[in-house]
Amino acid sequence: MPATLTYPWIISKRSDVLWLIGPVIFSIAALGLFYLFTGSIHTDRSKTVFVFYIAWALLFDSSHFFATYTRTYFDKSFFRQNRPILLITLCTFLIGPLFIGLPFLFSKDINLLRNSYTIFNRFCICMAYFHLVRQHWGIIAIYRRRNNETDNRSRRTEHALLLMGCFLPFLYFQYSNMPLISSSELFSAFELRSWNRETYYVLAWGVVLLLVHLLTRRKWPFLKLQWAALVMGVIAAFIFLAGLISLKTLLGWICSLLFTAFLILLQRFVLRKPADTINVPKWGLLITVIAAHVIFIMLPIPLLLKPVLLGIYHNIQYHRIVYYHNQNKYTGADSSGYGMAAIFTRRIVILVLCMALFGLFTTGFQWGSRTLLRSEVANYFLACIAWAIPLHHYILDAVIWRLRKDESLLKHLNAA
């Protein structure tokens, strides 16, 4: 018998199509505006990219950081129940300065500082991309939940398809272009053969994090430091292997292995027993996300424009799901105990004003930290602090959007 099509919308058909599945249209519109300004109108291409990036960071990216705070720090009830984790995550602002500062403090070697910052900066970029893809998976998980799809095997398969489908173009772009993103990379130029000290340093961080995890896992199980230790081990192994066979060769091998795994997984998924129902919103979002990532990453456009196009999709989707959650939770007769979170939900003007002020501060600080100071060392430290704003958002998001372990969250997302 033919499969039945199901439409388990989260908000409504119109809202889901426009704000959860279809925000890629806004990214396409931004790309069209870029071609219009740089094609038919004679403007400086680099200045146009800069304007687009600043506008995105100010209007979309910074505001979606603030959206997270509306349901955490500004929710009195949530803050009271989760005070330890919300306060501990603020230590994110120390991660970057400590990571690049410790080796420089003892060695006074500017090359070691540059290499440490290169590792940290690239790690943050990968974290940003992983966070972006994971948010798309979060929406897919809600569609699965709304359609009562509880099979762990299909969940893992679909999750792997999304991660591989998005990370393949990301890694292949790094392999084929090898872009130099930070000023520190202009000096190192990915010559990793002499990075012996850096390898041992990152590995030492992994050992320290693992020991801290073993000592604190009972008191603070939410920290999940074992995963941070694993990441440090992976980074150390990556640097070591890249030093042996060159970074370009290693990335090429990883892309080949990932592409082969993706094809095998896709073949097994296609040949499996057909499903009785087809979750149309879920598959619409999954296919749209992978296609958008492949197209925007592989398009021959300026490097700085790629995060803008992918970020607009991510930011709009995030704003809508957070506002839907806040509407369900903070609008009602018992909303007086939530503090500013309830005011933000009822008074959109106040919310937009606070987001604008937060955006001006964060965007100004991030760009100022990279351009205003003449000291190379000071620029690296300030850039690490600037990275702490999005890093804090990524860590906080990983904690507060855990569908399978939070019944109240499922209730407020209408996914119980």
Side-chain angles (χ1 to χ4, degrees):
M1 294 181 64
T4 304
L5 301 181
T6 60
Y7 302 89
W9 307 112
I10 298 173
I11 306 172
S12 67
K13 178 181 179 180
R14 181 178 180 181
S15 293
D16 283 29
V17 170
L18 183 60
W19 302 114
L20 299 183
I21 301 173
V24 68
I25 296 172
F26 298 96
S27 300
I28 295 172
L31 180 63
L33 284 174
F34 172 76
Y35 281 130
L36 175 66
F37 289 147
T38 57
S40 59
I41 302 174
H42 297 290
T43 56
D44 188 317
R45 191 180 178 90
S46 60
K47 290 182 179 178
T48 304
V49 174
F50 177 76
V51 170
F52 269 65
Y53 189 90
I54 289 295
W56 163 70
L58 185 62
L59 300 176
F60 293 93
D61 205 40
S62 297
S63 61
H64 103 284
F65 297 155
F66 190 85
T68 304
Y69 301 146
T70 61
R71 57 158 302 219
T72 51
Y73 294 97
F74 290 109
D75 180 344
K76 287 199 304 185
S77 174
F78 186 90
F79 184 82
R80 186 168 55 251
Q81 296 170 7
N82 301 274
R83 183 189 299 270
I85 189 169
L86 291 178
L87 294 178
I88 289 174
T89 55
L90 293 175
C91 294
T92 307
F93 288 83
L94 301 176
I95 295 175
L98 280 176
F99 183 83
I100 72 168
L102 287 178
F104 183 68
L105 178 66
F106 294 106
S107 69
K108 304 298 181 182
D109 186 349
I110 188 66
N111 290 319
L112 184 58
L113 176 65
R114 289 166 179 163
N115 295 344
S116 300
Y117 178 74
T118 296
I119 295 171
F120 179 75
N121 190 55
R122 283 283 173 166
F123 165 76
C124 291
I125 291 171
C126 292
M127 275 290 295
Y129 192 78
F130 177 72
H131 163 77
L132 188 150
V133 177
R134 279 286 294 178
Q135 178 195 282
H136 294 308
W137 170 251
I139 306 298
I140 291 172
I142 298 175
Y143 281 128
R144 286 178 54 86
R145 188 88 182 193
R146 294 278 288 124
N147 201 46
N148 198 29
E149 298 179 29
T150 58
D151 177 35
N152 279 330
R153 184 177 180 181
S154 66
R155 179 182 62 82
R156 294 191 191 100
T157 303
E158 291 166 10
H159 193 190
L161 284 173
L162 179 68
L163 288 174
M164 290 183 182
C166 291
F167 267 92
L168 260 174
F170 177 78
L171 291 174
Y172 181 77
F173 178 78
Q174 307 296 324
Y175 161 74
S176 58
N177 291 274
M178 299 293 288
L180 300 177
I181 294 176
S182 66
S183 59
S184 63
E185 295 177 5
L186 297 175
F187 298 98
S188 62
F190 302 122
E191 291 294 334
L192 306 185
R193 297 186 186 278
S194 61
W195 281 35
N196 296 322
R197 292 179 301 174
E198 289 79 0
T199 305
Y200 295 131
Y201 177 61
V202 174
L203 198 57
W205 264 98
V207 173
V208 170
L209 288 170
L210 183 59
L211 291 175
V212 174
H213 162 70
L214 294 175
L215 293 173
T216 62
R217 59 182 175 178
R218 292 185 178 179
K219 185 176 182 181
W220 297 329
F222 52 79
L223 289 179
K224 305 293 183 184
L225 289 178
Q226 72 273 27
W227 297 111
L230 178 62
V231 168
M232 289 295 131
V234 170
I235 293 174
F238 185 87
I239 297 172
F240 175 74
L241 291 173
L244 288 179
I245 60 176
S246 84
L247 180 61
K248 190 174 182 67
T249 303
L250 180 59
L251 282 174
W253 287 1
I254 293 174
C255 288
S256 299
L257 289 173
L258 193 59
F259 183 66
T260 303
F262 181 75
L263 290 180
I264 293 173
L265 188 66
L266 190 62
Q267 181 187 32
R268 291 182 62 183
F269 189 77
V270 170
L271 295 179
R272 73 173 187 173
K273 180 179 177 292
D276 297 327
T277 61
I278 297 176
N279 189 334
V280 176
K282 178 190 74 175
W283 285 107
L285 178 57
L286 182 65
I287 294 170
T288 302
V289 167
I290 294 176
H293 281 247
V294 171
I295 293 170
F296 291 146
I297 290 177
M298 302 310 297
L299 267 180
I301 55 178
L303 177 64
L304 209 58
L305 193 62
K306 297 178 187 292
V308 173
L309 300 179
L310 294 174
I312 289 175
Y313 192 176
H314 163 78
N315 300 146
I316 293 176
Q317 187 185 73
Y318 189 86
H319 272 299
R320 189 62 186 96
I321 200 68
V322 169
Y323 188 65
Y324 178 65
H325 167 275
N326 292 358
Q327 278 185 312
N328 290 335
K329 183 175 182 179
Y330 303 131
T331 55
D334 58 344
S335 62
S336 58
Y338 294 122
M340 285 297 297
I343 296 175
F344 285 143
T345 306
R346 294 196 303 265
R347 306 286 181 86
I348 301 299
V349 175
I350 298 177
L351 175 63
V352 171
L353 179 61
C354 290
M355 284 181 172
L357 293 173
F358 182 77
L360 284 171
F361 169 75
T362 55
T363 305
F365 182 79
Q366 288 170 347
W367 274 99
S369 66
R370 291 170 170 83
T371 57
L372 294 181
L373 297 179
R374 294 181 180 274
S375 169
E376 183 183 357
V377 174
N379 272 325
Y380 292 151
F381 278 93
L382 284 178
C384 286
I385 297 173
W387 259 121
I389 299 171
L391 272 181
H392 181 238
H393 169 72
Y394 308 151
I395 294 171
L396 203 57
D397 251 18
V399 174
I400 65 175
W401 295 104
R402 307 190 71 179
L403 290 177
R404 289 184 291 170
K405 297 185 178 181
D406 192 339
E407 291 299 326
S408 65
L409 178 61
L410 291 171
K411 174 186 174 182
H412 297 132
L413 290 173
N414 195 22

PDB file of all heavy atoms in Angstrom, residues 123-143:
ATOM      1  N   PHE A 123      38.617  26.264  16.024  1.00  0.00           N
ATOM      2  CA  PHE A 123      37.701  25.493  16.859  1.00  0.00           C
ATOM      3  C   PHE A 123      36.359  26.216  16.995  1.00  0.00           C
ATOM      4  O   PHE A 123      35.291  25.606  16.882  1.00  0.00           O
ATOM      5  CB  PHE A 123      38.325  25.266  18.231  1.00  0.00           C
ATOM      6  CG  PHE A 123      37.348  24.804  19.277  1.00  0.00           C
ATOM      7  CD1 PHE A 123      36.893  23.502  19.293  1.00  0.00           C
ATOM      8  CD2 PHE A 123      36.872  25.685  20.237  1.00  0.00           C
ATOM      9  CE1 PHE A 123      35.975  23.080  20.253  1.00  0.00           C
ATOM     10  CE2 PHE A 123      35.961  25.278  21.199  1.00  0.00           C
ATOM     11  CZ  PHE A 123      35.509  23.963  21.205  1.00  0.00           C
ATOM     12  N   CYS A 124      36.401  27.527  17.236  1.00  0.00           N
ATOM     13  CA  CYS A 124      35.170  28.308  17.390  1.00  0.00           C
ATOM     14  C   CYS A 124      34.353  28.321  16.101  1.00  0.00           C
ATOM     15  O   CYS A 124      33.112  28.253  16.137  1.00  0.00           O
ATOM     16  CB  CYS A 124      35.500  29.740  17.815  1.00  0.00           C
ATOM     17  SG  CYS A 124      36.151  29.868  19.495  1.00  0.00           S
ATOM     18  N   ILE A 125      35.024  28.402  14.957  1.00  0.00           N
ATOM     19  CA  ILE A 125      34.316  28.382  13.676  1.00  0.00           C
ATOM     20  C   ILE A 125      33.608  27.040  13.486  1.00  0.00           C
ATOM     21  O   ILE A 125      32.447  26.992  13.061  1.00  0.00           O
ATOM     22  CB  ILE A 125      35.296  28.657  12.526  1.00  0.00           C
ATOM     23  CG1 ILE A 125      35.784  30.107  12.585  1.00  0.00           C
ATOM     24  CG2 ILE A 125      34.650  28.377  11.169  1.00  0.00           C
ATOM     25  CD1 ILE A 125      36.907  30.421  11.633  1.00  0.00           C
ATOM     26  N   CYS A 126      34.305  25.944  13.808  1.00  0.00           N
ATOM     27  CA  CYS A 126      33.681  24.619  13.699  1.00  0.00           C
ATOM     28  C   CYS A 126      32.521  24.475  14.680  1.00  0.00           C
ATOM     29  O   CYS A 126      31.486  23.877  14.348  1.00  0.00           O
ATOM     30  CB  CYS A 126      34.723  23.531  13.946  1.00  0.00           C
ATOM     31  SG  CYS A 126      35.973  23.408  12.645  1.00  0.00           S
ATOM     32  N   MET A 127      32.681  25.027  15.890  1.00  0.00           N
ATOM     33  CA  MET A 127      31.598  24.999  16.865  1.00  0.00           C
ATOM     34  C   MET A 127      30.383  25.777  16.376  1.00  0.00           C
ATOM     35  O   MET A 127      29.238  25.353  16.560  1.00  0.00           O
ATOM     36  CB  MET A 127      32.086  25.579  18.198  1.00  0.00           C
ATOM     37  CG  MET A 127      32.782  24.580  19.099  1.00  0.00           C
ATOM     38  SD  MET A 127      31.650  23.346  19.771  1.00  0.00           S
ATOM     39  CE  MET A 127      30.583  24.363  20.804  1.00  0.00           C
ATOM     40  N   ALA A 128      30.633  26.920  15.747  1.00  0.00           N
ATOM     41  CA  ALA A 128      29.540  27.739  15.218  1.00  0.00           C
ATOM     42  C   ALA A 128      28.767  26.968  14.151  1.00  0.00           C
ATOM     43  O   ALA A 128      27.531  26.974  14.125  1.00  0.00           O
ATOM     44  CB  ALA A 128      30.093  29.044  14.654  1.00  0.00           C
ATOM     45  N   TYR A 129      29.507  26.288  13.280  1.00  0.00           N
ATOM     46  CA  TYR A 129      28.849  25.535  12.205  1.00  0.00           C
ATOM     47  C   TYR A 129      28.082  24.338  12.770  1.00  0.00           C
ATOM     48  O   TYR A 129      26.949  24.059  12.355  1.00  0.00           O
ATOM     49  CB  TYR A 129      29.894  25.070  11.189  1.00  0.00           C
ATOM     50  CG  TYR A 129      29.283  24.535   9.918  1.00  0.00           C
ATOM     51  CD1 TYR A 129      28.793  25.397   8.942  1.00  0.00           C
ATOM     52  CD2 TYR A 129      29.187  23.163   9.690  1.00  0.00           C
ATOM     53  CE1 TYR A 129      28.223  24.916   7.784  1.00  0.00           C
ATOM     54  CE2 TYR A 129      28.623  22.669   8.531  1.00  0.00           C
ATOM     55  CZ  TYR A 129      28.138  23.555   7.577  1.00  0.00           C
ATOM     56  OH  TYR A 129      27.563  23.072   6.423  1.00  0.00           O
ATOM     57  N   PHE A 130      28.696  23.642  13.730  1.00  0.00           N
ATOM     58  CA  PHE A 130      28.018  22.495  14.354  1.00  0.00           C
ATOM     59  C   PHE A 130      26.744  22.947  15.067  1.00  0.00           C
ATOM     60  O   PHE A 130      25.701  22.285  14.974  1.00  0.00           O
ATOM     61  CB  PHE A 130      28.964  21.825  15.347  1.00  0.00           C
ATOM     62  CG  PHE A 130      28.347  20.680  16.095  1.00  0.00           C
ATOM     63  CD1 PHE A 130      28.087  19.485  15.465  1.00  0.00           C
ATOM     64  CD2 PHE A 130      28.008  20.812  17.441  1.00  0.00           C
ATOM     65  CE1 PHE A 130      27.516  18.415  16.161  1.00  0.00           C
ATOM     66  CE2 PHE A 130      27.435  19.768  18.136  1.00  0.00           C
ATOM     67  CZ  PHE A 130      27.190  18.561  17.487  1.00  0.00           C
ATOM     68  N   HIS A 131      26.821  24.073  15.759  1.00  0.00           N
ATOM     69  CA  HIS A 131      25.650  24.619  16.452  1.00  0.00           C
ATOM     70  C   HIS A 131      24.534  24.921  15.466  1.00  0.00           C
ATOM     71  O   HIS A 131      23.352  24.629  15.720  1.00  0.00           O
ATOM     72  CB  HIS A 131      26.050  25.887  17.202  1.00  0.00           C
ATOM     73  CG  HIS A 131      24.906  26.747  17.611  1.00  0.00           C
ATOM     74  ND1 HIS A 131      24.096  26.465  18.687  1.00  0.00           N
ATOM     75  CD2 HIS A 131      24.419  27.913  17.077  1.00  0.00           C
ATOM     76  CE1 HIS A 131      23.155  27.391  18.807  1.00  0.00           C
ATOM     77  NE2 HIS A 131      23.340  28.274  17.849  1.00  0.00           N
ATOM     78  N   LEU A 132      24.891  25.489  14.327  1.00  0.00           N
ATOM     79  CA  LEU A 132      23.909  25.841  13.313  1.00  0.00           C
ATOM     80  C   LEU A 132      23.190  24.594  12.797  1.00  0.00           C
ATOM     81  O   LEU A 132      21.957  24.564  12.689  1.00  0.00           O
ATOM     82  CB  LEU A 132      24.645  26.572  12.183  1.00  0.00           C
ATOM     83  CG  LEU A 132      23.862  27.233  11.061  1.00  0.00           C
ATOM     84  CD1 LEU A 132      24.638  28.434  10.543  1.00  0.00           C
ATOM     85  CD2 LEU A 132      23.637  26.262   9.914  1.00  0.00           C
ATOM     86  N   VAL A 133      23.960  23.538  12.489  1.00  0.00           N
ATOM     87  CA  VAL A 133      23.370  22.304  11.973  1.00  0.00           C
ATOM     88  C   VAL A 133      22.536  21.621  13.055  1.00  0.00           C
ATOM     89  O   VAL A 133      21.458  21.082  12.772  1.00  0.00           O
ATOM     90  CB  VAL A 133      24.478  21.359  11.460  1.00  0.00           C
ATOM     91  CG1 VAL A 133      23.885  20.031  10.987  1.00  0.00           C
ATOM     92  CG2 VAL A 133      25.250  22.012  10.320  1.00  0.00           C
ATOM     93  N   ARG A 134      23.011  21.651  14.296  1.00  0.00           N
ATOM     94  CA  ARG A 134      22.279  21.014  15.387  1.00  0.00           C
ATOM     95  C   ARG A 134      20.931  21.678  15.637  1.00  0.00           C
ATOM     96  O   ARG A 134      19.974  21.009  16.040  1.00  0.00           O
ATOM     97  CB  ARG A 134      23.123  21.060  16.673  1.00  0.00           C
ATOM     98  CG  ARG A 134      24.159  19.986  16.753  1.00  0.00           C
ATOM     99  CD  ARG A 134      23.568  18.632  17.043  1.00  0.00           C
ATOM    100  NE  ARG A 134      22.961  18.547  18.369  1.00  0.00           N
ATOM    101  CZ  ARG A 134      22.344  17.479  18.850  1.00  0.00           C
ATOM    102  NH1 ARG A 134      22.233  16.398  18.104  1.00  0.00           N
ATOM    103  NH2 ARG A 134      21.820  17.475  20.057  1.00  0.00           N
ATOM    104  N   GLN A 135      20.854  22.987  15.409  1.00  0.00           N
ATOM    105  CA  GLN A 135      19.554  23.635  15.586  1.00  0.00           C
ATOM    106  C   GLN A 135      18.548  23.104  14.574  1.00  0.00           C
ATOM    107  O   GLN A 135      17.388  22.844  14.910  1.00  0.00           O
ATOM    108  CB  GLN A 135      19.667  25.144  15.429  1.00  0.00           C
ATOM    109  CG  GLN A 135      18.296  25.822  15.571  1.00  0.00           C
ATOM    110  CD  GLN A 135      18.272  27.250  15.087  1.00  0.00           C
ATOM    111  OE1 GLN A 135      18.732  28.126  15.775  1.00  0.00           O
ATOM    112  NE2 GLN A 135      17.737  27.479  13.892  1.00  0.00           N
ATOM    113  N   HIS A 136      18.986  22.931  13.329  1.00  0.00           N
ATOM    114  CA  HIS A 136      18.090  22.366  12.317  1.00  0.00           C
ATOM    115  C   HIS A 136      17.622  20.978  12.740  1.00  0.00           C
ATOM    116  O   HIS A 136      16.453  20.617  12.552  1.00  0.00           O
ATOM    117  CB  HIS A 136      18.787  22.300  10.959  1.00  0.00           C
ATOM    118  CG  HIS A 136      19.094  23.645  10.372  1.00  0.00           C
ATOM    119  ND1 HIS A 136      18.143  24.626  10.226  1.00  0.00           N
ATOM    120  CD2 HIS A 136      20.247  24.166   9.878  1.00  0.00           C
ATOM    121  CE1 HIS A 136      18.696  25.699   9.676  1.00  0.00           C
ATOM    122  NE2 HIS A 136      19.965  25.443   9.460  1.00  0.00           N
ATOM    123  N   TRP A 137      18.552  20.210  13.326  1.00  0.00           N
ATOM    124  CA  TRP A 137      18.158  18.885  13.800  1.00  0.00           C
ATOM    125  C   TRP A 137      17.147  19.000  14.941  1.00  0.00           C
ATOM    126  O   TRP A 137      16.236  18.175  15.053  1.00  0.00           O
ATOM    127  CB  TRP A 137      19.364  18.082  14.274  1.00  0.00           C
ATOM    128  CG  TRP A 137      18.939  16.826  14.974  1.00  0.00           C
ATOM    129  CD1 TRP A 137      19.018  16.550  16.303  1.00  0.00           C
ATOM    130  CD2 TRP A 137      18.293  15.697  14.375  1.00  0.00           C
ATOM    131  NE1 TRP A 137      18.484  15.318  16.577  1.00  0.00           N
ATOM    132  CE2 TRP A 137      18.025  14.761  15.406  1.00  0.00           C
ATOM    133  CE3 TRP A 137      17.922  15.382  13.068  1.00  0.00           C
ATOM    134  CZ2 TRP A 137      17.403  13.545  15.171  1.00  0.00           C
ATOM    135  CZ3 TRP A 137      17.297  14.161  12.833  1.00  0.00           C
ATOM    136  CH2 TRP A 137      17.043  13.260  13.864  1.00  0.00           C
ATOM    137  N   GLY A 138      17.272  19.998  15.788  1.00  0.00           N
ATOM    138  CA  GLY A 138      16.311  20.181  16.867  1.00  0.00           C
ATOM    139  C   GLY A 138      14.892  20.361  16.354  1.00  0.00           C
ATOM    140  O   GLY A 138      13.936  19.801  16.914  1.00  0.00           O
ATOM    141  N   ILE A 139      14.745  21.129  15.269  1.00  0.00           N
ATOM    142  CA  ILE A 139      13.414  21.311  14.681  1.00  0.00           C
ATOM    143  C   ILE A 139      12.917  19.999  14.086  1.00  0.00           C
ATOM    144  O   ILE A 139      11.742  19.628  14.231  1.00  0.00           O
ATOM    145  CB  ILE A 139      13.443  22.415  13.599  1.00  0.00           C
ATOM    146  CG1 ILE A 139      14.033  23.709  14.161  1.00  0.00           C
ATOM    147  CG2 ILE A 139      12.035  22.672  13.063  1.00  0.00           C
ATOM    148  CD1 ILE A 139      13.266  24.312  15.292  1.00  0.00           C
ATOM    149  N   ILE A 140      13.819  19.264  13.421  1.00  0.00           N
ATOM    150  CA  ILE A 140      13.446  17.961  12.864  1.00  0.00           C
ATOM    151  C   ILE A 140      13.005  17.015  13.979  1.00  0.00           C
ATOM    152  O   ILE A 140      12.027  16.261  13.821  1.00  0.00           O
ATOM    153  CB  ILE A 140      14.631  17.363  12.070  1.00  0.00           C
ATOM    154  CG1 ILE A 140      14.879  18.183  10.807  1.00  0.00           C
ATOM    155  CG2 ILE A 140      14.376  15.899  11.715  1.00  0.00           C
ATOM    156  CD1 ILE A 140      16.132  17.805  10.051  1.00  0.00           C
ATOM    157  N   ALA A 141      13.707  17.065  15.117  1.00  0.00           N
ATOM    158  CA  ALA A 141      13.348  16.205  16.250  1.00  0.00           C
ATOM    159  C   ALA A 141      11.951  16.526  16.768  1.00  0.00           C
ATOM    160  O   ALA A 141      11.208  15.624  17.185  1.00  0.00           O
ATOM    161  CB  ALA A 141      14.383  16.364  17.363  1.00  0.00           C
ATOM    162  N   ILE A 142      11.569  17.802  16.742  1.00  0.00           N
ATOM    163  CA  ILE A 142      10.219  18.166  17.179  1.00  0.00           C
ATOM    164  C   ILE A 142       9.188  17.623  16.199  1.00  0.00           C
ATOM    165  O   ILE A 142       8.129  17.109  16.607  1.00  0.00           O
ATOM    166  CB  ILE A 142      10.079  19.696  17.306  1.00  0.00           C
ATOM    167  CG1 ILE A 142      11.042  20.238  18.361  1.00  0.00           C
ATOM    168  CG2 ILE A 142       8.641  20.071  17.694  1.00  0.00           C
ATOM    169  CD1 ILE A 142      11.048  21.751  18.470  1.00  0.00           C
ATOM    170  N   TYR A 143       9.479  17.700  14.904  1.00  0.00           N
ATOM    171  CA  TYR A 143       8.562  17.122  13.904  1.00  0.00           C
ATOM    172  C   TYR A 143       8.429  15.608  14.107  1.00  0.00           C
ATOM    173  O   TYR A 143       7.329  15.052  13.975  1.00  0.00           O
ATOM    174  CB  TYR A 143       9.060  17.417  12.493  1.00  0.00           C
ATOM    175  CG  TYR A 143       8.752  18.814  12.008  1.00  0.00           C
ATOM    176  CD1 TYR A 143       9.748  19.623  11.486  1.00  0.00           C
ATOM    177  CD2 TYR A 143       7.451  19.321  12.058  1.00  0.00           C
ATOM    178  CE1 TYR A 143       9.478  20.907  11.045  1.00  0.00           C
ATOM    179  CE2 TYR A 143       7.164  20.600  11.626  1.00  0.00           C
ATOM    180  CZ  TYR A 143       8.175  21.396  11.117  1.00  0.00           C
ATOM    181  OH  TYR A 143       7.898  22.668  10.688  1.00  0.00           O
TER     182      TYR A 143
END
